[in-house]
Amino acid sequence: MYYYSLNNHSIKADFKQATIEGQAPDKGLYFPSDIPNWSSSFINQLKTLDKAEIGYHILAPYVGNSIPNDKLYTIIEETLSFDFPLKKIKENIYTLELFHGPTLAFKDLGARFLSRCLGYFAQSIGRKITVLVATSGDTGGAVADAFFNVEGTEVIILYPSGKVSPVQEKQLTAMGGNIHALEVKGDFDDCQRIVKAAFADQDLKDKLFLTSANSINISRWLSQQIYYAIGISQWQETMPPIVAVPSGNFGNICAGLVAQKSGLAIKHFIAACNSNDVFTQYIKTGKFVAADSVATISNAMDVGNPSNFVRILELFGNNHQELIKHVSSLSYNDELTEKAMQEVYQEHHYMLDPHAAVAYLAMEDWIKTNPSDKGFILGTAHPVKFPTVVERVIKDAVPLPDQVASIIKKEKKAIQVAPNFAIVKEIIIQLAS
Ligand SMILES: *Cc1c(COP(=O)(O)O)cnc(C)c1O
């Protein structure tokens, strides 16, 4: 197994190099040279295997010789140290809750797997790895938690002052140890501009081993396949399910499609989108037209040019006819999303966050036209991460889970900086050495 750049197939890397680099040198996304076929014994035994055994079976062929087997098994065990329950919302519709990790976001799994792989590689190359990220909220928290105390890594997170929620700010700033928060007097675009400048700075590259914890990293992307196998391991219905995925950059659903190609029994995928519907339009017309993003209440899906779209095309050989056999797409505006949150809470006493609510709408519509189908949606975030919208819509309080209750009591520690690369560069060098 190796990985090639989608911009130029002759640029190749092994798992270790692709994980450390994040993106190929030509800025292409890495894609695996083979999609393994899972054995029928593995697929038939899913219900009897535990999470770590499932995860190991899925990821070992992708990791290859980059990490010894026993170390990889430990990494996967640590990555999956929380639950992924499949719950019934109503007849024919279930939800796979992916938000019981330390920061209550489904991104915890990918961030935890990546952090532990990078920690291992830092040891094996005998150099400290400095992870630099800009965040508008959720990614930073998942990355901070995932890398906390991972030996050989130093993490520097840039976030826009006053523009993240109080819980998010504590998740970024209260960890301490190897996690450093820079509170930038500016907006998210300033943070991103500074991080880009850092990656382009030769002097910094010479001084530090710098990498990003970006969501296009193969370690984050491919590890998400585990969700789908864990979902199927809990699926008790006789027919394979339809799976509806709240989608933004399409990394999660693309991982699901890879798992299906490996043999996992999923009947069909629905990419559930908010008003940012470029993929829905592509499915309908066969033409992809990127757009500016529009703001919605399911803001983690406000993406007008999904980065993993090229990976989905590659998976189906750029063949629209082939692709639509496996994946459909439906899109819903905020008004419909709020109505779904309200109805599901009133009628089924289940609290949907705005992202899962979009997937719920898609599943409901699918089943209306295909009444013999059943399926599950992916619950990508805990409702407490969006308290303002959720409480306004369901007219009830969202209880604070323990993970959040303990972090908001901790002390914020952040270095305040002007939105200026030269200043930030000096701080990065100090913190990383
Ligand atoms: C990131 C995110 C998504 C979108 O996932 P993609 O893999 O980018 O499609 C959906 N819901 C929530 C809550 C997210 O944080």
Side-chain angles (χ1 to χ4, degrees):
M1 174 83 71
Y2 64 90
Y3 298 86
Y4 56 86
S5 165
L6 287 179
N7 284 355
N8 175 350
H9 291 201
S10 66
I11 296 182
K12 295 175 184 171
D14 65 3
F15 178 82
K16 175 179 173 178
Q17 194 188 342
T19 294
I20 292 176
E21 285 178 359
Q23 214 164 351
D26 66 352
K27 306 278 178 244
L29 269 64
Y30 278 120
F31 196 87
S33 58
D34 311 284
I35 306 288
N37 280 321
W38 295 346
S39 66
S40 49
S41 68
F42 170 66
I43 290 172
N44 296 334
Q45 278 169 24
L46 271 179
K47 289 188 168 56
T48 64
L49 300 175
D50 70 27
K51 290 176 298 190
E53 288 168 328
I54 293 174
Y56 180 78
H57 189 278
I58 295 173
L59 293 178
Y62 289 100
V63 174
N65 297 327
S66 290
I67 302 175
N69 295 348
D70 54 340
K71 177 68 192 170
L72 178 63
Y73 195 87
T74 310
I75 288 176
I76 291 171
E77 248 180 341
E78 282 178 23
T79 298
L80 301 175
S81 63
F82 44 92
D83 292 331
F84 307 88
L86 182 73
K87 294 187 180 163
K88 189 168 188 168
I89 298 180
K90 70 170 189 185
E91 214 42 44
N92 302 338
I93 302 185
Y94 296 74
T95 179
L96 182 64
E97 293 183 346
L98 306 180
F99 51 72
H100 296 287
T103 75
L104 308 174
F106 89 99
K107 292 183 174 74
D108 279 331
L109 184 152
R112 287 165 74 80
F113 183 65
L114 171 64
S115 68
R116 283 156 179 81
C117 290
L118 281 179
Y120 174 76
F121 296 143
Q123 275 173 15
S124 74
I125 56 182
R127 266 192 92 176
K128 187 146 78 175
I129 293 181
T130 303
V131 177
L132 191 63
V133 275
T135 184
S136 56
D138 260 6
T139 299
V143 167
D145 188 274
F147 281 83
F148 179 59
N149 275 345
V150 172
E151 225 171 290
T153 67
E154 215 67 51
V155 178
I156 300 169
I157 302 171
L158 281 74
Y159 75 98
S161 181
K163 297 204 170 63
V164 302
S165 78
V167 169
Q168 286 174 331
E169 183 166 43
K170 282 294 170 71
Q171 286 179 330
L172 297 172
T173 60
M175 303 294 297
N178 61 328
I179 312 297
H180 313 280
L182 302 190
E183 180 177 1
V184 177
K185 301 271 175 220
D187 56 21
F188 174 61
D189 290 338
D190 291 316
C191 299
Q192 229 171 1
R193 177 175 50 76
I194 294 169
V195 166
K196 275 197 182 140
F199 283 113
D201 190 279
Q202 195 54 47
D203 179 42
L204 259 188
K205 273 194 208 158
D206 294 341
K207 289 196 168 87
L208 307 173
F209 201 130
L210 209 57
T211 191
S212 87
N214 204 297
S215 69
I216 58 170
N217 194 297
I218 53 157
S219 290
R220 280 186 64 175
W221 170 49
L222 291 168
S223 55
Q224 297 174 111
Q225 292 179 79
I226 298 169
Y227 293 141
Y228 298 87
I230 290 178
I232 294 298
S233 77
Q234 298 172 71
W235 184 249
Q236 301 290 350
E237 308 279 358
T238 41
M239 292 262 289
I242 308 295
V243 178
V245 186
S247 294
N249 268 316
F250 284 72
N252 197 2
I253 193 168
C254 187
L257 289 162
V258 172
Q260 187 198 40
K261 197 153 209 170
S262 292
L264 192 66
I266 289 174
K267 188 178 175 194
H268 196 73
F269 284 89
I270 313 170
C273 299
N274 60 26
S275 296
N276 296 278
D277 67 345
V278 293
F279 189 80
T280 314
Q281 293 307 322
Y282 166 75
I283 292 289
K284 205 182 284 175
T285 64
K287 291 195 179 59
F288 180 77
V289 186
D292 288 337
S293 66
V294 296
T296 73
I297 55 168
S298 47
N299 56 24
M301 290 149 61
D302 295 350
V303 180
N305 191 5
S307 47
N308 287 287
F309 178 67
V310 286
R311 281 182 170 146
I312 295 182
L313 286 184
E314 183 75 5
L315 196 60
F316 295 103
N318 272 296
N319 184 331
H320 181 258
Q321 282 307 323
E322 199 47 40
L323 194 152
I324 59 175
K325 287 184 198 159
H326 298 270
V327 50
S328 300
S329 183
L330 295 165
S331 112
Y332 300 90
N333 63 23
D334 281 354
E335 196 188 333
L336 291 165
T337 308
E338 291 192 6
K339 212 164 139 239
M341 290 163 69
Q342 209 169 38
E343 277 177 15
V344 169
Y345 189 62
Q346 278 168 4
E347 288 166 26
H348 309 291
H349 314 289
Y350 188 84
M351 236 182 246
L352 288 169
D353 94 283
H355 305 76
V358 174
Y360 178 87
L361 283 162
M363 184 64 80
E364 227 186 5
D365 277 344
W366 179 272
I367 287 175
K368 267 183 212 148
T369 38
N370 305 275
S372 60
D373 282 345
K374 300 170 196 269
F376 61 84
I377 66 171
L378 298 189
T380 45
H382 193 291
V384 82
K385 298 212 87 171
F386 306 91
T388 321
V389 191
V390 175
E391 293 186 349
R392 172 173 59 75
V393 171
I394 68 169
K395 301 187 177 64
D396 209 343
V398 189
L400 275 189
D402 296 343
Q403 293 102 313
V404 180
S406 62
I407 195 111
I408 49 182
K409 289 192 211 108
K410 291 191 184 160
E411 190 194 345
K412 163 183 165 180
K413 285 196 205 97
I415 303 171
Q416 272 127 20
V417 291
N420 174 307
F421 173 61
I423 296 171
V424 171
K425 179 177 165 180
E426 287 316 308
I427 297 173
I428 292 173
I429 292 171
Q430 272 174 27
L431 290 174
S433 31

